[in-house]
Amino acid sequence: MRKQFAVIGNPIEQSRSPELHHAFAQKTGVILEYSKRLAPLDGFTQSINEFFKAGGIGLNVTVPFKEQAFAQCDVLTERAKIAKAVNTLWMKDGVLHGDNTDGQGLVAAIQHLNWPLEQASVLILGAGGATRGVIYPLHKAGVNKIMIANRTVARAEQLIQDLQPAVPDLELNACGLDHIAGEFDIVINATSASLSGDAITLPQQLKFKYAYEMAYGKPSTFLDQAKQRGIPTAEGFGMLVGQAIESFAIWNGVRPELKDFI
Ligand code: ATR
């Protein structure tokens, strides 16, 4: 039987993970099957138990189960502990392991674009799970200043309180989305605004060199404004491929190259 993998979420139809993992498998010669699993909103634990009982090797976890997956693991990687969310699961000797590859996916995508991260100062819009997952990997990749701007400032402040102990050398600050100002190397839109069709307005006095939108395949007022300024931009497909490569490497011990898939 082929090695079995799946992505689990609700909804799940939109997921592009199966096509990516099958493409990686073809390129690297790994023989596997990767499917989509729809778990009922109250049935995540049962669904992953069934998957591993049936001999499944690894699972990717997507919305809305990443925090539940985190709570379920016996062993967690450092970056998953810090993110408090898990997108990659595997069972080893009856022990459930969890990792979070989203942040490294973003780092790999940005490095592929040749945007400098060493000593960089980064502005992240949004303070939800997406932001939480990328701070530690960005810092490990050399970023030394991050400003988190959120519509609800208190949520950004809470995030900093939670994360600062894990990244003592990182200069982390919070502000309101309507109070952003100053100069940054990279601005990352980690809000869900583009997904829900909402607009983000960047003030003219905000200066930046590169703009990354985590969403992909959606109109983005954030990217439109960066493009109007003639700034290099990218959207989240590279991050998606990056996190998938990282999961594939954990499970199969072979690392596909990002440049072959974006
Ligand atoms: P995710 O896991 O994708 O980060 P989330 O935890 O629901 O999702 O967080 C969504 C983020 O997008 C939050 O930072 C949210 O701001 P609030 O904390 O103020 O709610 C932000 N967001 C969503 N819609 C937005 C909009 N229309 N304008 C600005 N920020 C928005």
Side-chain angles (χ1 to χ4, degrees), residues 4-7 34 51-52 56-60 89-91 251:
Q4 297 292 319
F5 299 90
V7 57
Y34 189 114
F51 175 83
F52 287 116
I57 305 283
L59 276 176
N60 279 130
L89 291 170
W90 66 101
M91 192 68 87
W251 296 327

PDB file of all heavy atoms in Angstrom, residues 4-7 34 51-52 56-60 89-91 251:
ATOM      1  N   GLN A   4       0.157   6.765   3.249  1.00  0.00           N
ATOM      2  CA  GLN A   4      -1.052   7.595   3.243  1.00  0.00           C
ATOM      3  C   GLN A   4      -0.841   8.908   4.005  1.00  0.00           C
ATOM      4  O   GLN A   4      -0.375   8.898   5.151  1.00  0.00           O
ATOM      5  CB  GLN A   4      -2.214   6.849   3.917  1.00  0.00           C
ATOM      6  CG  GLN A   4      -2.636   5.574   3.221  1.00  0.00           C
ATOM      7  CD  GLN A   4      -3.282   5.841   1.876  1.00  0.00           C
ATOM      8  OE1 GLN A   4      -4.071   6.779   1.727  1.00  0.00           O
ATOM      9  NE2 GLN A   4      -2.934   5.021   0.886  1.00  0.00           N
ATOM     10  N   PHE A   5      -1.217   9.990   3.333  1.00  0.00           N
ATOM     11  CA  PHE A   5      -1.190  11.327   3.952  1.00  0.00           C
ATOM     12  C   PHE A   5      -2.521  12.009   3.672  1.00  0.00           C
ATOM     13  O   PHE A   5      -3.252  11.608   2.768  1.00  0.00           O
ATOM     14  CB  PHE A   5      -0.060  12.171   3.367  1.00  0.00           C
ATOM     15  CG  PHE A   5       1.298  11.585   3.603  1.00  0.00           C
ATOM     16  CD1 PHE A   5       1.862  10.703   2.681  1.00  0.00           C
ATOM     17  CD2 PHE A   5       2.006  11.892   4.744  1.00  0.00           C
ATOM     18  CE1 PHE A   5       3.111  10.143   2.908  1.00  0.00           C
ATOM     19  CE2 PHE A   5       3.252  11.340   4.977  1.00  0.00           C
ATOM     20  CZ  PHE A   5       3.809  10.464   4.051  1.00  0.00           C
ATOM     21  N   ALA A   6      -2.834  13.053   4.428  1.00  0.00           N
ATOM     22  CA  ALA A   6      -4.056  13.811   4.160  1.00  0.00           C
ATOM     23  C   ALA A   6      -3.966  15.193   4.772  1.00  0.00           C
ATOM     24  O   ALA A   6      -3.116  15.458   5.636  1.00  0.00           O
ATOM     25  CB  ALA A   6      -5.268  13.079   4.738  1.00  0.00           C
ATOM     26  N   VAL A   7      -4.845  16.062   4.299  1.00  0.00           N
ATOM     27  CA  VAL A   7      -5.041  17.365   4.944  1.00  0.00           C
ATOM     28  C   VAL A   7      -6.442  17.333   5.536  1.00  0.00           C
ATOM     29  O   VAL A   7      -7.389  16.889   4.894  1.00  0.00           O
ATOM     30  CB  VAL A   7      -4.833  18.549   3.970  1.00  0.00           C
ATOM     31  CG1 VAL A   7      -5.746  18.472   2.743  1.00  0.00           C
ATOM     32  CG2 VAL A   7      -5.033  19.896   4.685  1.00  0.00           C
ATOM     33  N   TYR A  34      -2.140  11.220  -1.116  1.00  0.00           N
ATOM     34  CA  TYR A  34      -2.451  12.360  -0.239  1.00  0.00           C
ATOM     35  C   TYR A  34      -3.876  12.807  -0.535  1.00  0.00           C
ATOM     36  O   TYR A  34      -4.181  13.217  -1.652  1.00  0.00           O
ATOM     37  CB  TYR A  34      -1.440  13.476  -0.502  1.00  0.00           C
ATOM     38  CG  TYR A  34      -1.504  14.628   0.485  1.00  0.00           C
ATOM     39  CD1 TYR A  34      -0.444  14.867   1.352  1.00  0.00           C
ATOM     40  CD2 TYR A  34      -2.608  15.467   0.548  1.00  0.00           C
ATOM     41  CE1 TYR A  34      -0.485  15.918   2.255  1.00  0.00           C
ATOM     42  CE2 TYR A  34      -2.670  16.512   1.449  1.00  0.00           C
ATOM     43  CZ  TYR A  34      -1.600  16.741   2.294  1.00  0.00           C
ATOM     44  OH  TYR A  34      -1.652  17.784   3.191  1.00  0.00           O
ATOM     45  N   PHE A  51      -7.622   8.071  11.272  1.00  0.00           N
ATOM     46  CA  PHE A  51      -6.609   8.155  10.213  1.00  0.00           C
ATOM     47  C   PHE A  51      -5.338   7.385  10.611  1.00  0.00           C
ATOM     48  O   PHE A  51      -4.809   6.578   9.848  1.00  0.00           O
ATOM     49  CB  PHE A  51      -6.277   9.621   9.928  1.00  0.00           C
ATOM     50  CG  PHE A  51      -5.160   9.805   8.938  1.00  0.00           C
ATOM     51  CD1 PHE A  51      -5.394   9.746   7.568  1.00  0.00           C
ATOM     52  CD2 PHE A  51      -3.866  10.039   9.376  1.00  0.00           C
ATOM     53  CE1 PHE A  51      -4.361   9.901   6.656  1.00  0.00           C
ATOM     54  CE2 PHE A  51      -2.821  10.205   8.467  1.00  0.00           C
ATOM     55  CZ  PHE A  51      -3.067  10.131   7.109  1.00  0.00           C
ATOM     56  N   PHE A  52      -4.863   7.632  11.833  1.00  0.00           N
ATOM     57  CA  PHE A  52      -3.610   6.985  12.250  1.00  0.00           C
ATOM     58  C   PHE A  52      -3.829   5.500  12.556  1.00  0.00           C
ATOM     59  O   PHE A  52      -2.950   4.682  12.295  1.00  0.00           O
ATOM     60  CB  PHE A  52      -2.982   7.730  13.436  1.00  0.00           C
ATOM     61  CG  PHE A  52      -2.360   9.049  13.032  1.00  0.00           C
ATOM     62  CD1 PHE A  52      -2.848  10.257  13.516  1.00  0.00           C
ATOM     63  CD2 PHE A  52      -1.284   9.083  12.153  1.00  0.00           C
ATOM     64  CE1 PHE A  52      -2.278  11.467  13.126  1.00  0.00           C
ATOM     65  CE2 PHE A  52      -0.701  10.301  11.755  1.00  0.00           C
ATOM     66  CZ  PHE A  52      -1.202  11.492  12.245  1.00  0.00           C
ATOM     67  N   GLY A  56      -2.263   5.592   8.584  1.00  0.00           N
ATOM     68  CA  GLY A  56      -1.841   6.881   7.991  1.00  0.00           C
ATOM     69  C   GLY A  56      -0.515   7.339   8.583  1.00  0.00           C
ATOM     70  O   GLY A  56      -0.234   7.086   9.757  1.00  0.00           O
ATOM     71  N   ILE A  57       0.293   8.006   7.742  1.00  0.00           N
ATOM     72  CA  ILE A  57       1.632   8.424   8.181  1.00  0.00           C
ATOM     73  C   ILE A  57       1.626   9.868   8.690  1.00  0.00           C
ATOM     74  O   ILE A  57       2.183  10.165   9.734  1.00  0.00           O
ATOM     75  CB  ILE A  57       2.657   8.336   7.009  1.00  0.00           C
ATOM     76  CG1 ILE A  57       2.662   6.936   6.392  1.00  0.00           C
ATOM     77  CG2 ILE A  57       4.049   8.775   7.463  1.00  0.00           C
ATOM     78  CD1 ILE A  57       3.392   5.887   7.189  1.00  0.00           C
ATOM     79  N   GLY A  58       1.038  10.773   7.918  1.00  0.00           N
ATOM     80  CA  GLY A  58       1.108  12.182   8.312  1.00  0.00           C
ATOM     81  C   GLY A  58      -0.128  12.953   7.897  1.00  0.00           C
ATOM     82  O   GLY A  58      -0.754  12.656   6.879  1.00  0.00           O
ATOM     83  N   LEU A  59      -0.450  13.979   8.696  1.00  0.00           N
ATOM     84  CA  LEU A  59      -1.614  14.830   8.419  1.00  0.00           C
ATOM     85  C   LEU A  59      -1.208  16.290   8.428  1.00  0.00           C
ATOM     86  O   LEU A  59      -0.464  16.711   9.318  1.00  0.00           O
ATOM     87  CB  LEU A  59      -2.662  14.669   9.524  1.00  0.00           C
ATOM     88  CG  LEU A  59      -3.649  13.530   9.476  1.00  0.00           C
ATOM     89  CD1 LEU A  59      -4.502  13.568  10.740  1.00  0.00           C
ATOM     90  CD2 LEU A  59      -4.546  13.615   8.241  1.00  0.00           C
ATOM     91  N   ASN A  60      -1.698  17.042   7.461  1.00  0.00           N
ATOM     92  CA  ASN A  60      -1.670  18.495   7.579  1.00  0.00           C
ATOM     93  C   ASN A  60      -3.005  18.919   8.172  1.00  0.00           C
ATOM     94  O   ASN A  60      -4.040  18.311   7.884  1.00  0.00           O
ATOM     95  CB  ASN A  60      -1.487  19.166   6.213  1.00  0.00           C
ATOM     96  CG  ASN A  60      -0.044  19.177   5.761  1.00  0.00           C
ATOM     97  OD1 ASN A  60       0.268  18.792   4.639  1.00  0.00           O
ATOM     98  ND2 ASN A  60       0.852  19.606   6.624  1.00  0.00           N
ATOM     99  N   LEU A  89       1.143  16.855  11.530  1.00  0.00           N
ATOM    100  CA  LEU A  89       1.081  15.799  12.543  1.00  0.00           C
ATOM    101  C   LEU A  89       1.690  14.517  12.006  1.00  0.00           C
ATOM    102  O   LEU A  89       1.564  14.225  10.808  1.00  0.00           O
ATOM    103  CB  LEU A  89      -0.379  15.485  12.887  1.00  0.00           C
ATOM    104  CG  LEU A  89      -1.210  16.514  13.650  1.00  0.00           C
ATOM    105  CD1 LEU A  89      -2.680  16.077  13.660  1.00  0.00           C
ATOM    106  CD2 LEU A  89      -0.700  16.685  15.072  1.00  0.00           C
ATOM    107  N   TRP A  90       2.323  13.746  12.864  1.00  0.00           N
ATOM    108  CA  TRP A  90       2.736  12.390  12.508  1.00  0.00           C
ATOM    109  C   TRP A  90       2.804  11.541  13.767  1.00  0.00           C
ATOM    110  O   TRP A  90       2.980  12.065  14.874  1.00  0.00           O
ATOM    111  CB  TRP A  90       4.050  12.376  11.739  1.00  0.00           C
ATOM    112  CG  TRP A  90       5.275  12.818  12.493  1.00  0.00           C
ATOM    113  CD1 TRP A  90       6.229  12.028  13.051  1.00  0.00           C
ATOM    114  CD2 TRP A  90       5.705  14.175  12.749  1.00  0.00           C
ATOM    115  NE1 TRP A  90       7.210  12.789  13.642  1.00  0.00           N
ATOM    116  CE2 TRP A  90       6.921  14.107  13.469  1.00  0.00           C
ATOM    117  CE3 TRP A  90       5.168  15.439  12.440  1.00  0.00           C
ATOM    118  CZ2 TRP A  90       7.612  15.249  13.886  1.00  0.00           C
ATOM    119  CZ3 TRP A  90       5.854  16.583  12.873  1.00  0.00           C
ATOM    120  CH2 TRP A  90       7.054  16.479  13.573  1.00  0.00           C
ATOM    121  N   MET A  91       2.637  10.227  13.594  1.00  0.00           N
ATOM    122  CA  MET A  91       2.625   9.299  14.725  1.00  0.00           C
ATOM    123  C   MET A  91       3.916   8.501  14.681  1.00  0.00           C
ATOM    124  O   MET A  91       4.288   7.978  13.629  1.00  0.00           O
ATOM    125  CB  MET A  91       1.415   8.372  14.561  1.00  0.00           C
ATOM    126  CG  MET A  91       1.073   7.546  15.749  1.00  0.00           C
ATOM    127  SD  MET A  91       0.463   8.513  17.145  1.00  0.00           S
ATOM    128  CE  MET A  91      -1.282   8.591  16.763  1.00  0.00           C
ATOM    129  N   TRP A 251       8.137  14.304   6.911  1.00  0.00           N
ATOM    130  CA  TRP A 251       7.550  12.961   6.788  1.00  0.00           C
ATOM    131  C   TRP A 251       8.384  12.003   5.943  1.00  0.00           C
ATOM    132  O   TRP A 251       8.451  10.821   6.225  1.00  0.00           O
ATOM    133  CB  TRP A 251       6.165  13.055   6.128  1.00  0.00           C
ATOM    134  CG  TRP A 251       5.131  13.791   6.896  1.00  0.00           C
ATOM    135  CD1 TRP A 251       4.991  13.872   8.257  1.00  0.00           C
ATOM    136  CD2 TRP A 251       4.048  14.552   6.344  1.00  0.00           C
ATOM    137  NE1 TRP A 251       3.897  14.635   8.569  1.00  0.00           N
ATOM    138  CE2 TRP A 251       3.301  15.058   7.422  1.00  0.00           C
ATOM    139  CE3 TRP A 251       3.626  14.854   5.041  1.00  0.00           C
ATOM    140  CZ2 TRP A 251       2.152  15.847   7.246  1.00  0.00           C
ATOM    141  CZ3 TRP A 251       2.495  15.633   4.861  1.00  0.00           C
ATOM    142  CH2 TRP A 251       1.776  16.123   5.953  1.00  0.00           C
TER     143      TRP A 251
END
